[in-house]
Amino acid sequence: MSQELSSEQIQQALQGISVPPQPQIMVDLQMEQYMPDPDLDVIARLISQDPGLSGALLKIVNSPYYGLTNKIASIQRAVTLLGSRSIINLINAQSIKGEMADETIVTLNRFWDTAQDVAMTSLTLAKRTGSQAIDEAYALGLFHDCGIPLMLKRFPDYMTVLEQAYANAGPDKRVVDTENDAFNTNHAVVGYYTAKSWRLPEHVTNAIANHHNALAIFSDESTRNSQLKNLLAILKMAEHICESHRVLGNQTEDREWNAIGHLVLDYVGLSDYDFETLRENIRELGAN
């Protein structure tokens, strides 16, 4: 049963951290909402491709307005809970205030494209590996780098430093270490607080905080981090398959994966051959 929220309630619920939505998706959503009978399935599919819109949606659904016992990470369920009128109010509230510069849009396209690809690949991997956390795997794939647009907003030279961070990555240096040296913070920390402000489930926010700390986590053989390890294993495989090191890091070699890949594959029980076969299958799916 959906509970409609007014524009004022939505504006109030959305106060705080905001990641800009993708302009083309906003256009598509605006067109759909002006249809005589807006299709909630189409709207859910469009929203689920965009980290900023998805984060705003989950923030509202996981807010005290709805009083859910457990926080949810499913975009489809959130759309159903809100209903068409509240969703349209949300879309209007998230409409871009003023135009972004072309250069900013080009840079953010690297973030948006990676977020969509990694989310879909995480979903596929979760299904293929028999994970019970399919919605959470998709959400982590979509939101893991949500700190990047905010870092870019705060530090104009951020993408240059991020590229250097991927170049420096290896067994002795995490991607976030280079960012910490330059800015005294990093996109994983900022992403964690962004995800917390969106009221995402705690195990998803913890995975965002630790998504460049995989070497330490998978080197720890204790099982107390099994939920974190399960999500991070899917994410790190998805990032490698989607070549985040190329799209975001502008690097030809995935140095982070070279350092952690054997630990991740050992944890999920995949041989190098199995993983290569899985990777090719997923790439073929994406090409089609």
Side-chain angles (χ1 to χ4, degrees), residues 28 117 209 232 248 254 268 284:
D28 293 344
D117 289 346
L232 281 183
L248 289 174
D254 192 347
V268 297
E284 285 173 15

Side-chain angles (χ1 to χ4, degrees), residues 65-99:
Y65 288 117
Y66 283 85
L68 299 180
T69 305
N70 296 308
K71 293 178 178 178
I72 66 171
S74 167
I75 309 302
Q76 182 67 55
R77 188 176 167 208
V79 167
T80 302
L81 282 169
L82 254 68
S84 59
R85 176 48 48 194
S86 295
I87 289 293
I88 287 170
N89 286 340
L90 166 68
I91 294 166
N92 292 336
Q94 290 295 100
S95 293
I96 295 175
K97 313 288 192 298
E99 292 294 320

Side-chain angles (χ1 to χ4, degrees), residues 14-19 59 146 150 190 193-195 197-198:
L14 290 179
Q15 286 179 346
I17 300 171
S18 174
V19 170
K59 179 175 184 178
C146 65
L150 300 168
V190 173
Y193 285 109
T194 302
S197 82
W198 288 339

Side-chain angles (χ1 to χ4, degrees), residues 9 18 42 45 47 52 154 163 229 235:
Q9 286 174 309
S18 174
V42 171
R45 179 176 55 77
I47 289 176
R154 175 68 177 82
E163 290 176 6
K229 285 180 176 177
L235 176 67

Side-chain angles (χ1 to χ4, degrees), residues 98-133:
E99 292 294 320
M100 284 188 287
D102 289 345
E103 183 181 352
T104 303
I105 291 175
V106 168
T107 304
L108 284 176
N109 274 336
R110 293 164 67 180
F111 157 72
W112 286 318
D113 291 347
T114 305
Q116 290 180 36
D117 289 346
V118 173
M120 285 305 301
T121 302
S122 295
L123 177 70
T124 304
L125 284 169
K127 291 178 177 177
R128 294 284 183 92
T129 58
S131 171
Q132 300 301 306

Side-chain angles (χ1 to χ4, degrees), residues 121 124-125 128 241 277-287:
T121 302
T124 304
L125 284 169
R128 294 284 183 92
I241 290 170
T277 302
L278 186 57
R279 179 165 74 161
E280 290 308 312
N281 289 342
I282 289 173
R283 283 179 169 169
E284 285 173 15
L285 281 174

